[in-house]
């Protein structure tokens, strides 16, 4: 005991409450002391040193303090060797970076670990610190780094190595269509901006007409104004309107083939109204008779384009995030050279992982992610399949066992006989499947689009009636009233009503940390009557914790030191519960002997005591004496559904602990609320059925709804079966094991901490903790739907009223110029002012 | 009226410049990220300090 107590007073003024010089958290009982500073952990020390060596510390800490983030720990990370090789490979550079005209390279890279202004500043200092880097620009919101560098002078791996000590991880983004998407969006934005500029100018000219400039007085000026408007409107139609015309033409062709009015898209009546207004105004300008409608049609075009652009933008963030899935599997692999003879020291070469063919052998070191699917040919190791199967405990694998791309090789180097690589791997197929999934538009948008044909039909009938009615008054009068009807009924508000309300809803959701990939989700969420939940990581926290323990403190600490030699999840639980372990380990390093890791636990000698930590039956087998009280506690732990752990010192049972995955705090309340709302709740888990039943019992879910030992395929089949029963399934999950089921479900929601794979296949992903965002989604979807209905009702009513007013000949260009934007404004206002997704 | 013959071409030229500037701004990604630049302006004053330490 005395050894430890002495250390903190080794320097004056340092107490356990002293703030760490890097992260600002209390250093605790076992601080790390350097010459000038004191730290809570080795990670902080590394980052602190890195900052000081590069001379960036003053501004960094100042900026960080100004954000109130002084307490956020920044931990250095170690860059894995193979990832770095991958960054420099000619294939990667060729495929994923751009050669600029000046000979430099440019790339867009994902960056992990950004959390404040200081991070942005620090990374953007790179050109000054690292020779060869020309420009580094951080996009804080998207976690992206745009890097321009001279590939001759500096390699990407050096950039990654420079970033690593500060705690930033560079992910080689293998995005395929990121650039195209950005360009599409940019083109639409340019059209939008120009359309608005043109509309504004046409409106200015129209103002002169409305305030009295007409053919009777100053006719020369009037003619000039009309021609000017005509020219501007022509540009507006050519730049903005053409987007609607193209869609309308497509849907007209489609309708012609199928011979169905239902196939006519809403863009048809929109294009129809715009074109009629334009053609008539053109004729009026040339012949100097009748009214011009240029102002109305240009404003209409610009407003509708705005709604379209917002809609495109609202899905962008989620799409960006899905690109990160491609970084899950390492791009490079080690291939054994020549014929494989089973020698573990056989030479190898580093190649792109896609180039490995079945039958070849790959070498995978401990700590690396498997780049291919295959069978272990030599060596043994523990494999963490959490990404693929959701199983949090590592499994031992030896010769003949199957391993999959995306799993992590934890403990030993292995040779793997390749079975599948690249897109043929299980995870590769999943990515392909996700990418193929077509975007389905929201039901109400479909409905609005479907009434397009009827809209045209009704408006045309009304036009014929109007023409007939006014015929006696002369052709000119009849014509102008018909045109007034056609222009004023152009379904502008109707065309904007739904996309705008949904886009703004999705935008507000994103700000609350709920990312929707399709706005159709709002419909599906409301219809869901069955909720399927994954257990690990969804209802529970998804990581092992020591829930409680009993016995000798000192032995527990020593047990934690022993466990720190292992990377088992239970070891992680010990380290989390005893943060002083790291410091303690350094002091006791010399007294740690004969550490052995078994499948049932770990044993070793510390401070001349033989400590055994592990499964109770295994520990008690080796124990010499018994402790009835502690054994009773162990039995209680087992009944709780947690994993019991026994700790023996010199053959005596001295401490017990229960390790488990804790339930999220908000889970019980929400699950009960859903059941009261007559929603059926199911739990599907890869875990043992007993564990699932114990958890389900606490949540009051009927036992027939609790299923354990579920493989990814079983989950998918289960969800499909529910759908066959005409149930609308909302599924929550994380892990790749849920990915396909999430995709099959009507609404798939990936909760915070999910693996990237499920984030991609899910329709929604949620970045804030717990199940409460899901509840937020359920409540807010109803409100969004309400806004949509409100908008639709208003725009239909507007069109109806204006149609009748026009039939009576009361719509002049001035009336249209006021009424049409006003109707759009009402719809915009109603959409913007929606009270959805309020942050709790 | 003749003034129109002068004013209209000037107006068109100005508009063309504006359109070109707008298209340039979008193509070079000026509207891509609207949050990070707000952070960047916070530290421009600090540049000298770093330069002195690392000439």
């Amino acid at each position: 005991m005395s050894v430890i107590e002495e250390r903190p007073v080794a320097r004056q003024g340092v107490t356990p409450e002293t703030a760490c010089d890097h992260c600002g958290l209390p250093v605790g009982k076992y601080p790390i002391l350097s010459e000038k500073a004191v730290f809570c952990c080795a990670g902080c020390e590394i980052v602190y040193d890195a900052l000081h060596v590069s001379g960036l510390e003053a501004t960094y800490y100042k900026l960080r303090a100004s954000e109130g983030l002084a307490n956020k720990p920044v931990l250095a990370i170690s860059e894995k060797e193979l990832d770095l090789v991958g960054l420099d490979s000619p294939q990667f550079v060729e495929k994923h970076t751009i050669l600029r005209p000046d000979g430099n390279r440019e790339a867009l890279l994902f960056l992990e670990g950004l959390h404040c202004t200081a991070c942005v500043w620090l990374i953007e200092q790179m050109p000054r610190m690292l020779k060869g880097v020309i420009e580094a620009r951080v996009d804080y919101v998207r976690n992206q780094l745009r890097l321009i560098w001279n590939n001759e002078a500096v390699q990407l791996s050096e950039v990654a190595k420079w970033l690593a000590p500060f705690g930033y991880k560079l992910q080689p983004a293998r995005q395929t269509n990121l650039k195209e998407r950005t360009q599409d969006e940019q083109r639409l934005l340019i059209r939008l901006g120009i359309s608005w500029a043109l509309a504004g100018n046409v409106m200015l000219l129209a103002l002169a007409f409305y305030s009295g400039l007409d053919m009777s007085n100053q006719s020369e000026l009037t003619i000039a104004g009309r021609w000017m408007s005509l020219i501007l409107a022509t540009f507006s139609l050519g730049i903005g309107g053409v987007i609607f015309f193209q869609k309308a033409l497509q849907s007209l062709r489609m309708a012609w083939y199928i011979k169905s009015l239902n196939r006519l898209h809403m863009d048809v009546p929109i294009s129809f109204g715009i074109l009629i207004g334009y053609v008539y105004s053109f004729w009026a300008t040339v012949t100097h008779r009748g009214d011009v409608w240029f102002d109305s049609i240009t404003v209409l075009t610009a407003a509708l384009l705005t709604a379209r652009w917002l809609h495109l933008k609202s899905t962008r963030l989620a799409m960006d995030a899905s690109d990160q899935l491609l970084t899950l599997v390492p791009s490079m692999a080690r291939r054994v050279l020549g014929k494989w003879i089973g020698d573990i020291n056989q030479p190898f070469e580093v190649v792109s992982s896609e180039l490995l063919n079945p039958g070849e052998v790959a070498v995978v070191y401990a700590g690396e992610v498997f780049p291919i699917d295959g069978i272990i040919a030599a060596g043994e190791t523990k494999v963490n399949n959490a990404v693929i199967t959701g199983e949090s405990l590592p499994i031992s694998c030896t010769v003949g066992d199957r391993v999959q791309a995306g799993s992590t090789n934890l403990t030993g180097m292995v040779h793997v006989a390749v079975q599948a690589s690249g897109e043929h791997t299980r995870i590769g197929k999943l990515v392909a499947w996700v990418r193929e999934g077509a975007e389905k538009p929201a039901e109400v948008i479909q409905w609005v689009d479907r009434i397009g044909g009827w809209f045209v039909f009704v408006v045309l009938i009304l036009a014929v009636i109007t023409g007939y009615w006014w015929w006696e008054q002369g052709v000119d009068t009849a014509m102008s009233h018909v045109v007034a009807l056609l222009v004023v009924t152009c379904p502008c508000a109707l065309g904007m009503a739904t996309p705008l309300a949904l886009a703004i809803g999705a935008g507000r959701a994103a700000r609350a940390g709920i990312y929707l990939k399709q706005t159709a989700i709002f419909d599906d969420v409301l219809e869901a009557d069955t909720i399927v939940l994954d257990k690990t990581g969804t209802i529970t926290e998804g990581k092992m914790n020591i829930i409680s323990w009993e016995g000798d403190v000192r032995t527990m600490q020593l047990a934690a030191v022993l466990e720190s030699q292992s990377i088992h999840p239970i070891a992680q639980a010990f380290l989390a519960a005893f943060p002083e372990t790291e410091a303690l380990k350094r002091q006791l390093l010399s007294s740690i002997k004969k550490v052995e890791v078994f499948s049932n636990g770990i044993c070793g000698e510390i401070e001349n005591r033989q400590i055994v930590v592990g499964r109770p039956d295994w520990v008690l087998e080796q124990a010499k004496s018994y402790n009835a009280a502690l054994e009773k506690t162990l039995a209680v732990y087992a009944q709780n559904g947690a994993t019991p752990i026994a700790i023996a010192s010199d053959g005596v049972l001295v401490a017990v602990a229960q390790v488990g995955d804790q339930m999220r705090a908000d889970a019980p309340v929400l699950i009960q609320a859903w059941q009261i709302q007559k929603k059926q709740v199911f739990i599907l888990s890869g875990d043992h059925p007993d564990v699932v039943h114990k958890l389900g019992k606490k949540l009051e879910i009927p036992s027939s709804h609790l299923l354990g030992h579920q493989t990814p395929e079983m989950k998918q089949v289960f969800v499909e079966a529910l759908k066959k029963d005409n149930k609308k399934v909302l599924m929550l999950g994380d892990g790749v094991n849920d990915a396909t089921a999430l995709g099959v479900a009507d609404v798939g929601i990936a909760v915070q901490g999910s693996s990237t794979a499920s984030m991609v296949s899910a329709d929604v992903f949620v970045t804030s903790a717990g199940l409460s965002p899901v509840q937020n989604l359920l409540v807010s979807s109803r409100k969004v739907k309400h806004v949509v209905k409100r908008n639709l009702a208003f725009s239909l009513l507007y069109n109806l009223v204006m149609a009748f007013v026009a039939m009576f000949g009361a719509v002049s260009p001035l009336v249209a110029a006021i009424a049409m934007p006003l109707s759009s404004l009402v719809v915009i206002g109603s959409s913007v002012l929606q009270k959805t997704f309020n942050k709790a | 009226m003749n003034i129109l013959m002068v004013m209209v071409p000037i107006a068109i030229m100005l508009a063309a410049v504006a359109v070109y500037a707008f298209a340039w701004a979008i193509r070079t990604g000026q509207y891509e990220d609207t949050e990070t630049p707000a952070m960047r302006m916070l530290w421009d004053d600090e540049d000298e300090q770093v330069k002195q330490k690392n000439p």
Side-chain angles (χ1 to χ4, degrees), chain A residues 570-760:
Chain A
I570 286 178
Q572 302 299 321
F574 267 90
L575 294 184
F578 296 96
E580 65 271 23
T581 305
E582 186 72 20
L584 196 60
K585 188 173 144 192
R586 235 169 318 190
Q587 292 168 19
L588 300 176
L589 209 54
S590 55
S591 76
I592 304 175
K593 280 173 215 152
K594 293 186 208 155
V595 178
E596 277 184 280
V597 182
F598 299 93
S599 60
N600 292 334
I602 190 166
C603 69
E605 227 181 278
I606 306 186
E607 284 189 328
N608 304 319
R609 288 160 72 185
Q610 173 73 15
I611 307 270
V612 186
V613 191
R615 267 172 59 171
D617 46 351
W618 181 72
V619 173
L620 291 175
E621 223 170 71
Q622 305 173 44
K624 286 179 226 142
S625 72
Y626 297 92
N627 183 327
L630 287 178
E631 275 174 61
K632 205 179 264 174
T633 319
L634 276 178
V636 174
Y637 288 169
Q639 274 173 6
N640 287 348
T643 309
I645 298 288
I647 299 106
S649 169
D650 289 330
V652 183
L653 181 64
V654 286
V656 290
Q658 59 174 338
V659 176
D661 193 1
Q662 268 174 317
M663 209 194 312
R664 288 191 194 271
D666 51 1
V669 181
L670 289 177
I671 287 172
Q672 271 170 18
W674 292 336
Q675 285 184 319
I676 289 167
Q677 290 166 23
K678 300 264 181 274
K679 290 183 163 103
Q680 285 186 300
V681 179
F682 290 88
I683 297 183
L684 301 189
S685 173
D687 256 354
H688 195 277
D690 286 353
V691 182
V692 183
H693 278 276
K694 266 164 193 152
L695 185 85
K697 214 170 168 188
K698 280 188 213 159
L699 294 167
E700 294 172 24
I701 298 172
S703 62
S704 60
H705 288 187
L706 305 165
L707 293 118
H709 277 327
Q710 297 277 311
T711 64
E713 287 75 16
M714 282 161 81
K715 289 188 179 186
Q716 188 189 341
V717 168
F718 186 83
V719 172
E720 275 168 352
L722 281 175
K723 282 181 76 175
K724 271 206 193 104
D725 280 355
N726 284 324
K727 298 256 195 278
K728 282 278 183 181
V729 184
L730 183 146
M731 176 163 179
L732 270 88
D734 56 358
V736 173
N737 61 334
D738 299 316
T740 45
L742 285 174
V744 170
D746 294 290
V747 186
I749 304 177
V751 297
Q752 191 229 9
S754 291
S755 69
T756 331
S758 29
M759 282 194 183
V760 174

Side-chain angles (χ1 to χ4, degrees), chain A residues 122-155:
Chain A
L122 186 62
I123 292 165
E124 293 192 350
Q125 296 307 309
M126 208 189 321
R128 206 173 284 162
M129 301 290 156
L130 206 59
K131 223 177 160 191
V133 176
I134 290 146
E135 198 182 306
R137 294 299 253 189
V138 175
D139 184 333
Y140 179 68
V141 183
R142 297 204 182 97
N143 290 334
Q144 284 170 352
L145 169 69
R146 184 179 296 282
L147 195 74
I148 301 174
W149 76 103
N150 182 347
N151 211 36
E152 313 282 306
V154 69
Q155 298 224 287

Side-chain angles (χ1 to χ4, degrees), chain A residues 513-575:
Chain A
I514 300 167
Y515 293 86
L516 304 162
K517 253 175 248 168
Q518 308 161 357
T519 40
I521 299 309
F522 289 126
D523 293 328
D524 298 333
V525 165
L526 291 180
E527 283 167 20
D529 51 15
T530 306
I531 298 180
V532 177
L533 304 165
D534 174 48
K535 185 184 75 74
T536 317
T538 306
I539 303 176
T540 64
E541 305 269 356
K543 55 176 184 252
M544 287 296 187
N545 277 311
I546 295 193
I547 300 167
S548 67
W549 59 275
E550 229 171 81
D552 179 39
V553 191
R554 183 65 184 163
T555 316
M556 282 300 279
Q557 286 173 339
L558 294 179
V561 171
L562 261 190
E563 288 282 358
S564 70
Q565 314 279 322
S566 154
I567 41 172
H568 196 276
I570 286 178
Q572 302 299 321
F574 267 90
L575 294 184

Side-chain angles (χ1 to χ4, degrees), chain A residues 315-337:
Chain A
T315 50
R316 173 66 195 262
L317 267 180
M319 298 269 277
D320 274 353
S322 72
D323 277 327
Q324 293 197 21
L325 176 68
L326 292 171
T327 65
L328 216 62
V329 180
S331 57
M332 304 303 280
R334 294 186 192 83
R335 176 165 65 188
V336 171
L337 278 170

Side-chain angles (χ1 to χ4, degrees), chain A residues 44-57 162 164-166:
Chain A
C44 284
E45 187 183 8
I46 294 171
V47 181
Y48 182 90
D49 285 347
L51 283 167
H52 279 257
V53 166
S54 45
L56 300 170
E57 73 287 356
W162 187 84
F166 300 117

Side-chain angles (χ1 to χ4, degrees), chain A residues 54 57-59 62 117 120-121 124 128 137-142 182 186 189-190 193-194 220-221, chain B residues 1 4 8 19 22-23 26-27 29 32-33 35-36 39-40 42-43 46-47 49-51 53-54:
Chain A
S54 45
E57 73 287 356
T59 317
K62 204 164 106 190
T117 312
V120 179
W121 176 80
E124 293 192 350
R128 206 173 284 162
R137 294 299 253 189
V138 175
D139 184 333
Y140 179 68
V141 183
R142 297 204 182 97
T182 311
Q186 284 179 351
L189 188 58
I190 291 175
I194 296 176
E220 238 181 43
L221 204 59
Chain B
M1 275 306 278
L4 281 186
V8 169
V19 166
F22 180 63
I26 287 171
R27 290 228 171 84
E32 287 282 291
D33 175 15
E35 271 184 47
T36 325
M39 299 176 174
R40 246 171 233 138
L42 286 175
W43 64 68
E46 318 282 340
D47 272 11
Q49 215 181 321
V50 180
K51 270 183 201 153
K53 269 204 164 176
N54 296 276

